[in-house]
Each structure stands twice: as structure tokens, then as C-alpha cells.
Amino acid sequence: MEKFLPKILDFIFPRHCCICNRYLGDSPYRYLCETCSRGIIFLGSNLCQKCGYDFGEISFHGPKLCPRCRERGEREFRFRALRSAVRLNPFAKGLLHRFKYENGEYLAQDLCKIAQQNSAFMELIGDSIMVPVPLHWRRRFFREYNQSDLLAQRLAKLPIAMEVLPLLKRIRHRRPQVELRASERRTNVENIFTVNPKFKIPFSRKLVVFDDVVTTGATIDECCKTLQKYGFSNIYAATFAQTIKD
Ligand SMILES: [Zn+2]
Ligand SMILES: [Zn+2]
């Protein structure tokens, strides 16, 4: 019955693509048609070993570090490495916008299916405790769910020995980062997180700070800084999509 029920439901209520609205045939996704899914650009393997910046076709000698990580090193990003599943192109933007603002909980399954196809991303999140970037309760109240937490919970269902813990809390409410220039973002997020002391985790445990998108890296780095100050030493970061800006 478990196998037939979805098929019967699909027959009565045909599913359609969340982007182009066409009815779905045999698409591997729940709410994304085959044609639209070609808009996904997976991040390849030619990446900055620290921040995951995609070098594309440029070939390298020596350590694979982007100019930003090479010059500013540990002062720039506290995480050991960051990996994202896809590039933040207009297609990924559209998908994440639906996921975030248009009651898109139903899309979590498809986003998980997309992320699963990137082996560098999956390898980084494996055997870890995932720490979603927290929303302030006021914002969660209006949006009803934290999209990073929702996606992390989905990924945790895969057989990769990963669990999700809300280890960080947001203690201050600030302006959304999207409204700010890159140069203002760091000060805007300073000291806005704290570690929830109720979870007793060894400081050497592998943690992965997780968000849906990374652009300047300011929010993610602030999360890592908070965890590091508390005593954690094995901190990584992952996002669904990325576009690292200088
Ligand atoms: Zn479509
Ligand atoms: Zn880099």
C-alpha cells in the first residue's frame, strides 16, 4: 500500500513543476521537471581547499587556495573547509526563494536529492554534528520554520552518520544580511550568537555549520567564531548553494 498510495495521489492530484508549472512526468524530483533541473550547476572538484571557491577551468600548482584565503588565511575564515552543493545561479536562487519564503517546506526533499549528487559536499557533512545557522525567534515566528534546519534534517535521514543539533542560539536581532553591503556584513553579525550549554559534546567532535546559501561568509564565520570561543576545535561549514564574493 505504501508504494501505491503516492501513485494514486499523483493520479488524483497531478504534481507540477514549481518553476515552470508543467505537469511532471517521470522526473526524478518531486516538484521539479527534468527540463528545469538542467539549470542546476554542481560545484566541481577544482575548488579552493578552504572556502570552496570554484576555480572553474583554471589549473593550479601548489596549494589550491583562492587569493582571499591565501592572503588572509585563518583571520578570514575560522572553519577548516567549506563545501557547497551547487552554484548560486538564477535557477538556484529561484528554488531557494520558494523554499524560504513561499511555504516551500515541500521542496526540502528535492533540495536534498540535488545536494546528494555532489560527492565533495556529502563527504564533508558525513560523520558529523550539523549545526544549522539559527534564525532569531521573531523571524522564525513569521516564517514558521528555519530553512537551514529543515534541509539539514532531511540530509540527516541519509545513511551518512550525521545528526542535527541546534547548538547555536541567536541572541540578537539585526538587519537581514541581504540588505547590507559586503563590507557592512561582518559588523552586523558580530556577537549575535551563543552556544546552547544544554548539549554536552566533546570539543574535538566534528561540527558542520550549515546554511542554505553563502555569499560573503560573514554569518557562517561568526557562527564558527562563537563555537571556537566556546572550545570546539574541529569546525567545518557547508551550504546548499554558494557564490563567494571578494
Ligand atoms: Zn519545470
Ligand atoms: Zn578560498
Side-chain angles (χ1 to χ4, degrees), residues 81-120:
L82 180 149
R83 289 293 173 266
S84 312
V86 302
R87 185 176 296 166
L88 188 67
N89 61 357
F91 172 80
K93 263 188 193 158
L95 206 56
L96 284 173
H97 189 89
R98 280 173 177 79
F99 181 51
K100 238 163 145 166
Y101 302 109
E102 297 172 18
N103 294 318
E105 290 116 306
Y106 64 94
L107 275 177
Q109 196 181 339
D110 280 349
L111 293 177
C112 178
K113 200 160 206 167
I114 293 169
Q116 237 180 305
Q117 295 168 60
N118 187 319
S119 52

mmCIF file of all heavy atoms in Angstrom, residues 81-120:
data_model
loop_
_atom_site.group_PDB
_atom_site.id
_atom_site.type_symbol
_atom_site.label_atom_id
_atom_site.label_comp_id
_atom_site.label_asym_id
_atom_site.label_seq_id
_atom_site.Cartn_x
_atom_site.Cartn_y
_atom_site.Cartn_z
ATOM 1 N N ALA A 81 37.186 23.928 6.408
ATOM 2 C CA ALA A 81 36.838 23.922 4.986
ATOM 3 C C ALA A 81 35.347 24.143 4.845
ATOM 4 O O ALA A 81 34.569 23.812 5.739
ATOM 5 C CB ALA A 81 37.230 22.600 4.352
ATOM 6 N N LEU A 82 34.954 24.724 3.712
ATOM 7 C CA LEU A 82 33.537 24.908 3.405
ATOM 8 C C LEU A 82 33.245 24.255 2.058
ATOM 9 O O LEU A 82 34.020 24.400 1.115
ATOM 10 C CB LEU A 82 33.215 26.402 3.340
ATOM 11 C CG LEU A 82 31.776 26.818 3.036
ATOM 12 C CD1 LEU A 82 31.461 28.139 3.715
ATOM 13 C CD2 LEU A 82 31.473 26.967 1.557
ATOM 14 N N ARG A 83 32.156 23.505 2.004
ATOM 15 C CA ARG A 83 31.749 22.913 0.728
ATOM 16 C C ARG A 83 30.269 23.184 0.491
ATOM 17 O O ARG A 83 29.459 23.126 1.413
ATOM 18 C CB ARG A 83 31.981 21.395 0.725
ATOM 19 C CG ARG A 83 33.441 20.994 0.662
ATOM 20 C CD ARG A 83 34.088 21.371 -0.678
ATOM 21 N NE ARG A 83 35.517 21.132 -0.676
ATOM 22 C CZ ARG A 83 36.435 22.050 -0.385
ATOM 23 N NH1 ARG A 83 36.083 23.280 -0.073
ATOM 24 N NH2 ARG A 83 37.724 21.756 -0.412
ATOM 25 N N SER A 84 29.947 23.500 -0.767
ATOM 26 C CA SER A 84 28.554 23.732 -1.142
ATOM 27 C C SER A 84 28.201 22.776 -2.264
ATOM 28 O O SER A 84 29.075 22.350 -3.021
ATOM 29 C CB SER A 84 28.369 25.171 -1.616
ATOM 30 O OG SER A 84 28.963 26.057 -0.699
ATOM 31 N N ALA A 85 26.911 22.499 -2.380
ATOM 32 C CA ALA A 85 26.496 21.532 -3.393
ATOM 33 C C ALA A 85 26.421 22.157 -4.782
ATOM 34 O O ALA A 85 26.893 21.588 -5.752
ATOM 35 C CB ALA A 85 25.146 20.929 -3.010
ATOM 36 N N VAL A 86 25.812 23.336 -4.886
ATOM 37 C CA VAL A 86 25.605 23.938 -6.209
ATOM 38 C C VAL A 86 26.011 25.407 -6.239
ATOM 39 O O VAL A 86 26.185 26.034 -5.203
ATOM 40 C CB VAL A 86 24.117 23.846 -6.644
ATOM 41 C CG1 VAL A 86 23.623 22.415 -6.667
ATOM 42 C CG2 VAL A 86 23.222 24.704 -5.758
ATOM 43 N N ARG A 87 26.143 25.920 -7.437
ATOM 44 C CA ARG A 87 26.429 27.345 -7.598
ATOM 45 C C ARG A 87 25.135 28.145 -7.454
ATOM 46 O O ARG A 87 24.077 27.708 -7.891
ATOM 47 C CB ARG A 87 27.044 27.598 -8.976
ATOM 48 C CG ARG A 87 27.473 29.044 -9.149
ATOM 49 C CD ARG A 87 28.160 29.263 -10.456
ATOM 50 N NE ARG A 87 29.415 28.505 -10.531
ATOM 51 C CZ ARG A 87 30.070 28.301 -11.659
ATOM 52 N NH1 ARG A 87 29.604 28.755 -12.798
ATOM 53 N NH2 ARG A 87 31.201 27.616 -11.650
ATOM 54 N N LEU A 88 25.237 29.317 -6.857
ATOM 55 C CA LEU A 88 24.047 30.149 -6.684
ATOM 56 C C LEU A 88 23.778 30.921 -7.978
ATOM 57 O O LEU A 88 24.047 32.109 -8.080
ATOM 58 C CB LEU A 88 24.228 31.125 -5.511
ATOM 59 C CG LEU A 88 22.985 31.916 -5.107
ATOM 60 C CD1 LEU A 88 21.925 31.010 -4.521
ATOM 61 C CD2 LEU A 88 23.324 33.007 -4.118
ATOM 62 N N ASN A 89 23.238 30.234 -8.974
ATOM 63 C CA ASN A 89 22.868 30.891 -10.225
ATOM 64 C C ASN A 89 21.388 31.305 -10.127
ATOM 65 O O ASN A 89 20.731 31.002 -9.127
ATOM 66 C CB ASN A 89 23.149 29.952 -11.414
ATOM 67 C CG ASN A 89 22.339 28.665 -11.321
ATOM 68 O OD1 ASN A 89 21.624 28.438 -10.357
ATOM 69 N ND2 ASN A 89 22.459 27.819 -12.323
ATOM 70 N N PRO A 90 20.848 32.003 -11.134
ATOM 71 C CA PRO A 90 19.441 32.435 -11.028
ATOM 72 C C PRO A 90 18.485 31.274 -10.760
ATOM 73 O O PRO A 90 17.500 31.427 -10.034
ATOM 74 C CB PRO A 90 19.164 33.056 -12.399
ATOM 75 C CG PRO A 90 20.497 33.512 -12.873
ATOM 76 C CD PRO A 90 21.488 32.510 -12.353
ATOM 77 N N PHE A 91 18.795 30.093 -11.291
ATOM 78 C CA PHE A 91 17.927 28.941 -11.067
ATOM 79 C C PHE A 91 17.909 28.543 -9.588
ATOM 80 O O PHE A 91 16.854 28.389 -8.983
ATOM 81 C CB PHE A 91 18.387 27.756 -11.926
ATOM 82 C CG PHE A 91 17.652 26.500 -11.576
ATOM 83 C CD1 PHE A 91 16.380 26.275 -12.055
ATOM 84 C CD2 PHE A 91 18.216 25.574 -10.712
ATOM 85 C CE1 PHE A 91 15.683 25.133 -11.703
ATOM 86 C CE2 PHE A 91 17.528 24.432 -10.352
ATOM 87 C CZ PHE A 91 16.254 24.212 -10.850
ATOM 88 N N ALA A 92 19.105 28.395 -9.002
ATOM 89 C CA ALA A 92 19.197 28.013 -7.578
ATOM 90 C C ALA A 92 18.573 29.089 -6.699
ATOM 91 O O ALA A 92 17.934 28.791 -5.692
ATOM 92 C CB ALA A 92 20.657 27.788 -7.197
ATOM 93 N N LYS A 93 18.743 30.364 -7.115
ATOM 94 C CA LYS A 93 18.134 31.468 -6.364
ATOM 95 C C LYS A 93 16.624 31.323 -6.321
ATOM 96 O O LYS A 93 15.994 31.489 -5.277
ATOM 97 C CB LYS A 93 18.488 32.810 -7.022
ATOM 98 C CG LYS A 93 19.656 33.480 -6.382
ATOM 99 C CD LYS A 93 19.815 34.881 -6.956
ATOM 100 C CE LYS A 93 21.189 35.386 -6.531
ATOM 101 N NZ LYS A 93 21.704 36.440 -7.364
ATOM 102 N N GLY A 94 16.035 31.029 -7.486
ATOM 103 C CA GLY A 94 14.585 30.869 -7.583
ATOM 104 C C GLY A 94 14.078 29.731 -6.714
ATOM 105 O O GLY A 94 13.086 29.855 -6.002
ATOM 106 N N LEU A 95 14.819 28.641 -6.754
ATOM 107 C CA LEU A 95 14.440 27.454 -5.990
ATOM 108 C C LEU A 95 14.495 27.748 -4.486
ATOM 109 O O LEU A 95 13.570 27.421 -3.733
ATOM 110 C CB LEU A 95 15.421 26.335 -6.348
ATOM 111 C CG LEU A 95 14.958 24.899 -6.206
ATOM 112 C CD1 LEU A 95 13.700 24.662 -7.024
ATOM 113 C CD2 LEU A 95 16.063 23.957 -6.659
ATOM 114 N N LEU A 96 15.583 28.390 -4.057
ATOM 115 C CA LEU A 96 15.741 28.689 -2.635
ATOM 116 C C LEU A 96 14.748 29.744 -2.166
ATOM 117 O O LEU A 96 14.295 29.720 -1.031
ATOM 118 C CB LEU A 96 17.171 29.146 -2.337
ATOM 119 C CG LEU A 96 18.199 28.014 -2.314
ATOM 120 C CD1 LEU A 96 19.600 28.570 -2.186
ATOM 121 C CD2 LEU A 96 17.923 27.044 -1.161
ATOM 122 N N HIS A 97 14.397 30.660 -3.060
ATOM 123 C CA HIS A 97 13.414 31.679 -2.699
ATOM 124 C C HIS A 97 12.071 31.017 -2.389
ATOM 125 O O HIS A 97 11.415 31.345 -1.402
ATOM 126 C CB HIS A 97 13.265 32.708 -3.811
ATOM 127 C CG HIS A 97 12.440 33.883 -3.391
ATOM 128 N ND1 HIS A 97 13.004 34.991 -2.789
ATOM 129 C CD2 HIS A 97 11.113 34.100 -3.426
ATOM 130 C CE1 HIS A 97 12.040 35.837 -2.481
ATOM 131 N NE2 HIS A 97 10.879 35.330 -2.866
ATOM 132 N N ARG A 98 11.696 30.067 -3.232
ATOM 133 C CA ARG A 98 10.450 29.335 -2.973
ATOM 134 C C ARG A 98 10.540 28.560 -1.664
ATOM 135 O O ARG A 98 9.609 28.515 -0.880
ATOM 136 C CB ARG A 98 10.158 28.362 -4.115
ATOM 137 C CG ARG A 98 9.535 29.034 -5.298
ATOM 138 C CD ARG A 98 9.427 28.083 -6.464
ATOM 139 N NE ARG A 98 8.772 28.722 -7.583
ATOM 140 C CZ ARG A 98 9.360 29.563 -8.406
ATOM 141 N NH1 ARG A 98 10.638 29.857 -8.240
ATOM 142 N NH2 ARG A 98 8.697 30.122 -9.397
ATOM 143 N N PHE A 99 11.676 27.936 -1.464
ATOM 144 C CA PHE A 99 11.894 27.133 -0.258
ATOM 145 C C PHE A 99 11.776 27.986 1.011
ATOM 146 O O PHE A 99 11.201 27.575 2.008
ATOM 147 C CB PHE A 99 13.277 26.503 -0.352
ATOM 148 C CG PHE A 99 13.638 25.619 0.808
ATOM 149 C CD1 PHE A 99 12.783 24.610 1.227
ATOM 150 C CD2 PHE A 99 14.841 25.780 1.474
ATOM 151 C CE1 PHE A 99 13.120 23.787 2.289
ATOM 152 C CE2 PHE A 99 15.188 24.954 2.531
ATOM 153 C CZ PHE A 99 14.322 23.966 2.953
ATOM 154 N N LYS A 100 12.270 29.223 0.911
ATOM 155 C CA LYS A 100 12.365 30.084 2.083
ATOM 156 C C LYS A 100 11.111 30.894 2.363
ATOM 157 O O LYS A 100 10.669 30.984 3.497
ATOM 158 C CB LYS A 100 13.492 31.080 1.816
ATOM 159 C CG LYS A 100 14.603 31.060 2.814
ATOM 160 C CD LYS A 100 15.790 31.752 2.204
ATOM 161 C CE LYS A 100 16.578 32.527 3.228
ATOM 162 N NZ LYS A 100 17.891 32.916 2.716
ATOM 163 N N TYR A 101 10.574 31.494 1.345
ATOM 164 C CA TYR A 101 9.522 32.488 1.571
ATOM 165 C C TYR A 101 8.134 32.079 1.118
ATOM 166 O O TYR A 101 7.166 32.760 1.403
ATOM 167 C CB TYR A 101 9.890 33.816 0.902
ATOM 168 C CG TYR A 101 11.198 34.370 1.378
ATOM 169 C CD1 TYR A 101 12.313 34.373 0.557
ATOM 170 C CD2 TYR A 101 11.320 34.889 2.670
ATOM 171 C CE1 TYR A 101 13.528 34.879 1.003
ATOM 172 C CE2 TYR A 101 12.528 35.396 3.117
ATOM 173 C CZ TYR A 101 13.624 35.392 2.276
ATOM 174 O OH TYR A 101 14.822 35.882 2.715
ATOM 175 N N GLU A 102 8.005 31.022 0.352
ATOM 176 C CA GLU A 102 6.673 30.680 -0.151
ATOM 177 C C GLU A 102 6.210 29.343 0.407
ATOM 178 O O GLU A 102 5.761 28.469 -0.327
ATOM 179 C CB GLU A 102 6.693 30.659 -1.692
ATOM 180 C CG GLU A 102 7.012 32.019 -2.276
ATOM 181 C CD GLU A 102 7.234 31.978 -3.786
ATOM 182 O OE1 GLU A 102 6.833 30.998 -4.450
ATOM 183 O OE2 GLU A 102 7.820 32.939 -4.294
ATOM 184 N N ASN A 103 6.336 29.194 1.712
ATOM 185 C CA ASN A 103 5.944 27.949 2.373
ATOM 186 C C ASN A 103 6.468 26.716 1.640
ATOM 187 O O ASN A 103 5.737 25.775 1.370
ATOM 188 C CB ASN A 103 4.422 27.846 2.493
ATOM 189 C CG ASN A 103 3.890 28.914 3.421
ATOM 190 O OD1 ASN A 103 4.481 29.181 4.469
ATOM 191 N ND2 ASN A 103 2.820 29.563 3.027
ATOM 192 N N GLY A 104 7.737 26.791 1.303
ATOM 193 C CA GLY A 104 8.305 25.752 0.437
ATOM 194 C C GLY A 104 8.832 24.530 1.148
ATOM 195 O O GLY A 104 9.720 23.860 0.639
ATOM 196 N N GLU A 105 8.282 24.209 2.321
ATOM 197 C CA GLU A 105 8.782 23.027 3.041
ATOM 198 C C GLU A 105 8.764 21.792 2.152
ATOM 199 O O GLU A 105 9.589 20.903 2.280
ATOM 200 C CB GLU A 105 7.912 22.718 4.269
ATOM 201 C CG GLU A 105 8.047 23.707 5.385
ATOM 202 C CD GLU A 105 6.745 24.425 5.620
ATOM 203 O OE1 GLU A 105 6.216 24.989 4.629
ATOM 204 O OE2 GLU A 105 6.276 24.417 6.763
ATOM 205 N N TYR A 106 7.781 21.764 1.254
ATOM 206 C CA TYR A 106 7.634 20.596 0.392
ATOM 207 C C TYR A 106 8.855 20.390 -0.514
ATOM 208 O O TYR A 106 9.065 19.322 -1.066
ATOM 209 C CB TYR A 106 6.355 20.717 -0.457
ATOM 210 C CG TYR A 106 6.384 21.874 -1.424
ATOM 211 C CD1 TYR A 106 6.814 21.691 -2.736
ATOM 212 C CD2 TYR A 106 5.984 23.150 -1.038
ATOM 213 C CE1 TYR A 106 6.866 22.747 -3.627
ATOM 214 C CE2 TYR A 106 6.032 24.214 -1.926
ATOM 215 C CZ TYR A 106 6.470 24.012 -3.218
ATOM 216 O OH TYR A 106 6.531 25.055 -4.087
ATOM 217 N N LEU A 107 9.670 21.468 -0.673
ATOM 218 C CA LEU A 107 10.835 21.358 -1.562
ATOM 219 C C LEU A 107 12.064 20.726 -0.906
ATOM 220 O O LEU A 107 13.025 20.385 -1.590
ATOM 221 C CB LEU A 107 11.215 22.748 -2.078
ATOM 222 C CG LEU A 107 10.467 23.250 -3.305
ATOM 223 C CD1 LEU A 107 10.916 24.671 -3.638
ATOM 224 C CD2 LEU A 107 10.731 22.330 -4.491
ATOM 225 N N ALA A 108 12.024 20.555 0.413
ATOM 226 C CA ALA A 108 13.200 20.037 1.139
ATOM 227 C C ALA A 108 13.695 18.718 0.544
ATOM 228 O O ALA A 108 14.894 18.502 0.386
ATOM 229 C CB ALA A 108 12.878 19.862 2.613
ATOM 230 N N GLN A 109 12.755 17.869 0.188
ATOM 231 C CA GLN A 109 13.103 16.558 -0.363
ATOM 232 C C GLN A 109 13.899 16.682 -1.674
ATOM 233 O O GLN A 109 14.883 15.985 -1.889
ATOM 234 C CB GLN A 109 11.805 15.798 -0.615
ATOM 235 C CG GLN A 109 11.986 14.318 -0.807
ATOM 236 C CD GLN A 109 10.661 13.627 -1.074
ATOM 237 O OE1 GLN A 109 9.586 14.149 -0.747
ATOM 238 N NE2 GLN A 109 10.715 12.466 -1.661
ATOM 239 N N ASP A 110 13.459 17.604 -2.544
ATOM 240 C CA ASP A 110 14.155 17.797 -3.820
ATOM 241 C C ASP A 110 15.535 18.427 -3.618
ATOM 242 O O ASP A 110 16.499 18.046 -4.277
ATOM 243 C CB ASP A 110 13.323 18.675 -4.760
ATOM 244 C CG ASP A 110 12.224 17.867 -5.434
ATOM 245 O OD1 ASP A 110 12.252 16.624 -5.336
ATOM 246 O OD2 ASP A 110 11.330 18.472 -6.056
ATOM 247 N N LEU A 111 15.613 19.400 -2.697
ATOM 248 C CA LEU A 111 16.907 20.039 -2.439
ATOM 249 C C LEU A 111 17.897 19.000 -1.910
ATOM 250 O O LEU A 111 19.075 19.005 -2.261
ATOM 251 C CB LEU A 111 16.752 21.187 -1.435
ATOM 252 C CG LEU A 111 15.953 22.390 -1.934
ATOM 253 C CD1 LEU A 111 15.816 23.433 -0.832
ATOM 254 C CD2 LEU A 111 16.613 23.038 -3.142
ATOM 255 N N CYS A 112 17.404 18.117 -1.080
ATOM 256 C CA CYS A 112 18.239 17.050 -0.525
ATOM 257 C C CYS A 112 18.725 16.136 -1.649
ATOM 258 O O CYS A 112 19.892 15.765 -1.705
ATOM 259 C CB CYS A 112 17.419 16.279 0.506
ATOM 260 S SG CYS A 112 18.273 14.891 1.235
ATOM 261 N N LYS A 113 17.822 15.832 -2.556
ATOM 262 C CA LYS A 113 18.167 14.962 -3.687
ATOM 263 C C LYS A 113 19.235 15.601 -4.576
ATOM 264 O O LYS A 113 20.114 14.922 -5.103
ATOM 265 C CB LYS A 113 16.906 14.682 -4.508
ATOM 266 C CG LYS A 113 17.040 13.463 -5.368
ATOM 267 C CD LYS A 113 15.694 12.940 -5.780
ATOM 268 C CE LYS A 113 15.774 11.462 -6.066
ATOM 269 N NZ LYS A 113 14.479 10.839 -6.171
ATOM 270 N N ILE A 114 19.155 16.919 -4.737
ATOM 271 C CA ILE A 114 20.153 17.645 -5.530
ATOM 272 C C ILE A 114 21.510 17.592 -4.810
ATOM 273 O O ILE A 114 22.518 17.195 -5.375
ATOM 274 C CB ILE A 114 19.715 19.113 -5.770
ATOM 275 C CG1 ILE A 114 18.471 19.161 -6.667
ATOM 276 C CG2 ILE A 114 20.850 19.929 -6.384
ATOM 277 C CD1 ILE A 114 17.804 20.520 -6.764
ATOM 278 N N ALA A 115 21.499 17.976 -3.523
ATOM 279 C CA ALA A 115 22.739 18.036 -2.737
ATOM 280 C C ALA A 115 23.455 16.686 -2.699
ATOM 281 O O ALA A 115 24.679 16.607 -2.778
ATOM 282 C CB ALA A 115 22.436 18.506 -1.323
ATOM 283 N N GLN A 116 22.664 15.638 -2.608
ATOM 284 C CA GLN A 116 23.179 14.268 -2.529
ATOM 285 C C GLN A 116 24.081 13.894 -3.695
ATOM 286 O O GLN A 116 24.899 12.999 -3.598
ATOM 287 C CB GLN A 116 21.976 13.347 -2.589
ATOM 288 C CG GLN A 116 21.811 12.402 -1.470
ATOM 289 C CD GLN A 116 20.565 11.568 -1.709
ATOM 290 O OE1 GLN A 116 19.478 12.101 -1.894
ATOM 291 N NE2 GLN A 116 20.729 10.265 -1.712
ATOM 292 N N GLN A 117 23.875 14.589 -4.839
ATOM 293 C CA GLN A 117 24.633 14.237 -6.040
ATOM 294 C C GLN A 117 26.034 14.826 -6.053
ATOM 295 O O GLN A 117 26.830 14.537 -6.932
ATOM 296 C CB GLN A 117 23.859 14.696 -7.282
ATOM 297 C CG GLN A 117 22.549 13.945 -7.438
ATOM 298 C CD GLN A 117 21.654 14.596 -8.478
ATOM 299 O OE1 GLN A 117 22.007 14.716 -9.635
ATOM 300 N NE2 GLN A 117 20.473 15.025 -8.059
ATOM 301 N N ASN A 118 26.336 15.728 -5.075
ATOM 302 C CA ASN A 118 27.668 16.315 -5.025
ATOM 303 C C ASN A 118 28.509 15.579 -3.972
ATOM 304 O O ASN A 118 28.300 15.729 -2.764
ATOM 305 C CB ASN A 118 27.565 17.808 -4.687
ATOM 306 C CG ASN A 118 28.901 18.501 -4.790
ATOM 307 O OD1 ASN A 118 29.928 17.959 -4.386
ATOM 308 N ND2 ASN A 118 28.901 19.692 -5.343
ATOM 309 N N SER A 119 29.481 14.801 -4.450
ATOM 310 C CA SER A 119 30.208 13.922 -3.521
ATOM 311 C C SER A 119 31.105 14.703 -2.554
ATOM 312 O O SER A 119 31.262 14.295 -1.397
ATOM 313 C CB SER A 119 31.016 12.883 -4.297
ATOM 314 O OG SER A 119 31.810 13.519 -5.255
ATOM 315 N N ALA A 120 31.690 15.830 -3.004
ATOM 316 C CA ALA A 120 32.547 16.618 -2.097
ATOM 317 C C ALA A 120 31.716 17.171 -0.940
ATOM 318 O O ALA A 120 32.153 17.176 0.218
ATOM 319 C CB ALA A 120 33.207 17.758 -2.861
#
